[in-house]
Amino acid sequence: MQYEPWEAARAAEIIAGHAGKEGSTLVILHALQEAFGYVPEPAIPMIAEALNHSRAEVHGVFTFYHEFRKEPAGRHVLKLCRAEACQAAGGDALAAQAEHRLGISIGNTTPDGGVTLEPIYCLGLCATAPSAMFDDRVIGRLDAQRLDALMAEAQR
Amino acid sequence: MTLRIFIPRDAGAVAVGADEIATGLLDLAHARDVAIDLVRTGSRGLYWLEPMLEVATEVGRIAYGPMTPDDVASVFDAILADGPHPLRLGLTEEIPWLKRQTRLTFARCGVIDPRSSDDYRAHGGYKGLERALAMSSEDIIDDIVKSGLRGRGGAGFPTGIKWRTVAHAGRGQKYICCNADEGDSGTFADRMIMEGDPFMVLEGMTIAGIAVGATKGYIYIRSEYPHAIEAMNAAIAVARRTGYLGHNICRSTDSFDVEVRVGAGAYICGEETSMLESLEGKRGVVRAKPPLPAHKGLFGKPTVINNVLSFAAVPYILAGGAQAYADCGMGRSRGTKPIQLGGNIKHGGLFEVAFGITLGELVDDIGGGTLSGRPVRAVQVGGPLGAYFPRALFDTPYDYEAFAARSGMVGHGGIVVFDDTVDMARQARFAMEFCAVESCGKCTPCRIGSVRGVETIDKIIKGDRAAENIAVLEDLCQTMKFGSLCALGGFVPFPVLSALTHFPEDFGLAPSRLQAAE
């Protein structure tokens, strides 16, 4: 995944582009993360100033939602669905396999910065479980073999 | 003659290779110099047959599936020759799994091009809106009341009553909010409709806006649904261009516009007041009720909040179908319910049917049992906050009240099937753990209770004073049920207690009498 390097002027431009919308805090956080791959810390006071909120309020919103990152993810992100429908279809074994092969537990990034392994709670692909998301790609009917192929692709 | 071929762009079909089939087909047609018109539709919801390809013929669409990239050439030959093929499923509409359904909400899903309002109109779309534009607010709401439509998100509150409350909440700014934060595992009906028939959702919201006097609507879609977000944004752009959204819709005096807002991975934001907070750009912390959102909702203004499927049911009702809708169903559960079959299931997918069908018919007959081929041991109905049902309760009819009478809930209509390898104590622990992670933190029973719940279940599993700890767990569940502010803490006791009641042997106790009597 390719992202822009952090630049305050660029962030200010993104914030200004959305600040006029009603209740725009999440919209801005999403836009910043889309541009930079995460929400760099210096952006928080910038959002607060633009929306006339306190820094604490913006920080509170930023930290409430699982999706927003405070640091960049690995070059690839592999999200494994850990919710009930995928548990029923063998998701636990796949999660263990991924942790074993990558040598990290779910929620972490490999030391070389290659892969971030994350849980996700339902992609709505429950009739073709177990499912996963690899970068922007959705994957259904995941099995041990396909998971290995994905991890090989991620580690290339 | 140009061949018209249909391949879904639905995320569920794409996840099992629909894009590769589409690319392969276009390349092949190009190489052989055959003109084809490829339409990327939603999914018909027969997911074990995805990726499914359909071709238009004089007698109707003929389906092939499940396809792999290696099948493209031979299927293409079979289509050109109108010959046999092992993957040929016959006329799509005649596939028994589809034919048995009563598709009112999902009638167009998988049939039309979700990017084209012309196609939507050609299949009966916008008839409800056109009729509503000529009706008074009261008459529109009367139609909704008459249909018996109850909120399809899970709680089952009568939609017409909700609309009437907002309509009577004076003049001034009001909002329509569509809750598309479909976070329950095992549910995907909202996603399918947004991806397969997005104009219907917009039409339903627009009718709601006209009925209550709101000019602005928001659709709150979870970030885990990128395809649905894209589909809704595309449909909004087309609807604005063609005069179905914006100022003076269809040259009337009514105006209405819709904006998509994207969630950020918080399950709690599917709770309506938490969703409002999130839409306002705040932490998704639940609000105490009253005031009801119908009186003080988004930005403190009167707000209609309905689920995707509730709005999706509206165009059919307003197009003159109120009575026909009410004629389906049983008891106080009127109309159809799109049921989603998932997990360890042979024939998983979307099954829209009138209320009243039994759980056993759905799991064994329609779902075909487990994919693993092992016996079905438990099914969870209604998402992470829904109860686990054993086989002994498979005679329960699909009906809001019948499920409530057995300490369960219909919820958003998801059914997740587990085979006999499932450890129910572990599932109970997961329910508490999920609640602990996703709790918004506002009320103590949910925030602290879920953490204590995990600890207590761990002790029970370890055999540490099991009887005493089970009493603690049951007591804790009562506290959470009656003391929590919203359905997260309030309903998590359903999966926990149902696992304990129906599968006590997994907690190291004697088997339940219910199962012994089977």
Side-chain angles (χ1 to χ4, degrees):
Chain A
M1 309 277 266
Q2 288 296 315
Y3 296 107
E4 303 169 37
W6 163 254
E7 206 186 307
R10 174 78 179 110
E13 186 184 289
I14 291 169
I15 294 168
H18 296 287
K21 291 181 180 163
E22 296 181 308
S24 57
T25 313
L26 266 82
V27 182
I28 291 171
L29 289 168
H30 271 303
L32 290 170
Q33 183 150 309
E34 200 168 298
F36 303 116
Y38 70 114
V39 183
E41 233 240 289
I44 302 292
M46 291 171 70
I47 301 171
E49 171 139 0
L51 301 182
N52 198 22
H53 292 328
S54 70
R55 281 173 71 161
E57 277 174 288
V58 179
H59 178 78
V61 174
F62 171 60
T63 52
F64 183 84
Y65 297 93
H66 303 300
E67 177 106 352
F68 298 129
R69 301 180 188 284
K70 63 175 194 284
E71 47 201 33
R75 286 187 294 281
H76 295 282
V77 179
L78 177 61
K79 296 179 179 177
L80 295 176
C81 178
R82 304 292 296 116
E84 290 90 338
C86 288
Q87 293 169 11
D92 292 352
L94 294 174
Q97 180 190 342
E99 288 184 328
H100 180 74
R101 163 140 186 191
L102 297 174
I104 51 171
S105 59
I106 285 188
N108 292 288
T109 302
T110 52
D112 65 351
V115 193
T116 297
L117 183 63
E118 288 181 340
I120 192 163
Y121 290 92
C122 200
L123 289 157
L125 311 173
C126 319
T128 51
S131 33
M133 195 165 190
F134 181 65
D135 295 336
D136 286 337
R137 244 155 67 202
V138 285
I139 295 143
R141 292 183 199 138
L142 189 66
D143 57 21
Q145 206 183 345
R146 284 202 67 197
L147 180 59
D148 257 338
L150 283 178
M151 287 187 288
E153 189 183 334
Q155 287 173 316
R156 261 204 296 274
Chain B
M1 199 186 79
T2 306
L3 267 182
R4 244 171 108 72
I5 292 179
F6 306 86
I7 297 175
R9 67 188 327 152
D10 173 278
V14 169
V16 292
D19 285 347
E20 287 78 3
I21 305 299
T23 312
L25 185 77
L26 287 173
D27 289 349
L28 190 68
H30 184 72
R32 299 220 193 145
D33 205 19
V34 179
I36 64 165
D37 176 14
L38 177 63
V39 183
R40 300 300 300 271
T41 59
S43 170
R44 297 270 195 167
L46 288 67
Y47 278 107
W48 78 99
L49 297 175
E50 293 287 5
M52 191 166 94
L53 173 155
E54 291 177 77
V55 57
T57 73
E58 281 168 14
V59 290
R61 290 187 193 176
I62 292 176
Y64 297 82
M67 302 267 300
T68 68
D70 294 340
D71 298 319
V72 173
S74 64
V75 165
F76 195 58
D77 289 339
I79 290 170
L80 292 176
D82 194 19
H85 191 281
L87 297 182
R88 186 174 158 133
L89 302 161
L91 289 167
T92 315
E93 304 283 349
E94 296 297 319
I95 297 174
W97 208 85
L98 192 58
K99 207 177 175 182
R100 274 184 79 172
Q101 304 190 33
T102 306
R103 288 209 161 182
L104 302 183
T105 299
F106 280 78
R108 274 179 300 258
C109 194
V111 176
I112 61 165
D113 177 355
R115 298 287 195 268
S116 162
S117 64
D118 288 343
D119 208 10
Y120 179 62
R121 238 190 352 261
H123 286 82
Y126 283 126
K127 284 212 170 73
L129 176 61
E130 278 155 21
R131 187 163 163 267
L133 283 167
M135 290 163 75
S136 72
S137 158
E138 282 302 314
D139 289 346
I140 296 172
I141 295 169
D142 278 347
D143 256 20
I144 300 293
V145 172
K146 228 186 308 173
S147 73
L149 177 64
R150 291 168 69 177
R152 291 290 184 258
F157 188 83
T159 305
I161 307 296
K162 195 183 274 183
W163 288 21
R164 186 169 284 154
T165 310
V166 177
H168 290 172
R171 290 172 180 279
Q173 178 78 60
K174 295 174 186 176
Y175 292 100
I176 305 295
C177 290
C178 177
N179 186 342
D181 195 46
E182 186 179 47
D184 288 357
S185 173
T187 63
F188 43 84
D190 295 354
R191 179 185 65 66
M192 281 183 69
I193 278 295
M194 290 190 283
E195 293 174 8
D197 199 357
F199 292 100
M200 179 168 57
V201 181
L202 297 177
E203 185 183 351
M205 291 179 71
T206 308
I207 293 169
I210 295 167
V212 306
T215 53
K216 173 92 198 204
Y218 286 100
I219 308 180
Y220 186 89
I221 310 179
R222 55 203 299 266
S223 57
E224 292 86 344
Y225 280 3
H227 297 77
I229 293 165
E230 191 189 339
M232 286 309 314
N233 276 323
I236 289 169
V238 172
R240 282 180 189 151
R241 210 163 51 229
T242 49
Y244 284 101
L245 280 179
H247 289 295
N248 308 110
I249 27 177
C250 306
R251 298 193 192 84
S252 72
T253 52
D254 290 297
S255 298
F256 189 73
D257 207 356
V258 174
E259 187 182 329
V260 169
R261 285 290 170 94
V262 179
Y267 175 75
I268 190 61
C269 290
E271 197 283 333
E272 61 177 11
T273 62
S274 162
M275 184 189 77
L276 293 177
E277 291 288 304
S278 188
L279 277 170
E280 292 181 8
K282 300 175 187 160
R283 292 164 68 90
V285 175
V286 171
R287 295 180 187 171
K289 290 191 270 194
L292 294 171
H295 293 127
K296 280 191 172 175
L298 188 62
F299 302 109
K301 306 294 181 192
T303 304
V304 168
I305 307 170
N306 280 132
N307 173 253
V308 173
L309 297 182
S310 310
F311 284 122
V314 167
Y316 176 85
I317 293 166
L318 260 291
Q323 193 56 49
Y325 197 82
D327 287 343
C328 295
M330 71 175 276
R332 292 197 290 120
S333 303
R334 310 312 311 177
T336 57
K337 179 85 177 175
I339 292 163
Q340 300 122 83
L341 299 168
N344 189 343
I345 192 160
K346 199 167 164 199
H347 298 153
L350 189 287
F351 199 86
E352 182 176 358
V353 67
F355 283 97
I357 190 168
T358 67
L359 188 54
E361 278 176 87
L362 285 165
V363 174
D364 294 330
D365 192 11
I366 292 154
T370 62
L371 182 65
S372 61
R374 302 182 68 94
V376 174
R377 180 150 185 252
V379 295
Q380 188 177 27
V381 185
L385 308 176
Y388 285 99
F389 277 53
R391 290 204 71 93
L393 295 180
F394 272 20
D395 61 339
T396 314
Y398 223 80
D399 164 89
Y400 290 107
E401 280 71 35
F403 265 79
R406 288 182 161 178
S407 299
M409 66 161 181
V410 164
H412 192 46
I415 297 180
V416 175
V417 178
F418 292 80
D419 70 13
D420 61 351
T421 60
V422 68
D423 177 347
M424 294 307 296
R426 226 183 124 147
Q427 295 308 124
R429 185 189 189 279
F430 176 78
M432 281 292 188
E433 192 188 10
F434 186 72
C435 181
V437 173
E438 297 298 333
S439 174
C440 79
K442 179 152 178 166
C443 72
T444 316
C446 174
R447 185 184 67 245
I448 308 282
S450 53
V451 177
R452 295 290 168 261
V454 173
E455 294 166 359
T456 311
I457 295 172
D458 278 342
K459 286 179 193 161
I460 297 167
I461 292 171
K462 265 192 288 178
D464 176 6
R465 289 173 298 156
E468 284 164 56
N469 277 311
I470 282 170
V472 169
L473 182 63
E474 284 174 336
D475 188 52
L476 179 65
C477 282
Q478 290 305 308
T479 304
M480 291 178 74
K481 211 177 199 172
F482 297 107
S484 298
L485 203 49
C486 82
L488 179 52
F491 285 13
V492 81
F494 282 116
V496 174
L497 292 179
S498 59
L500 189 58
T501 308
H502 302 309
F503 306 94
E505 62 275 23
D506 288 14
F507 295 79
L509 305 173
S512 94
R513 270 172 298 171
L514 201 64
Q515 281 194 316
E518 197 184 10

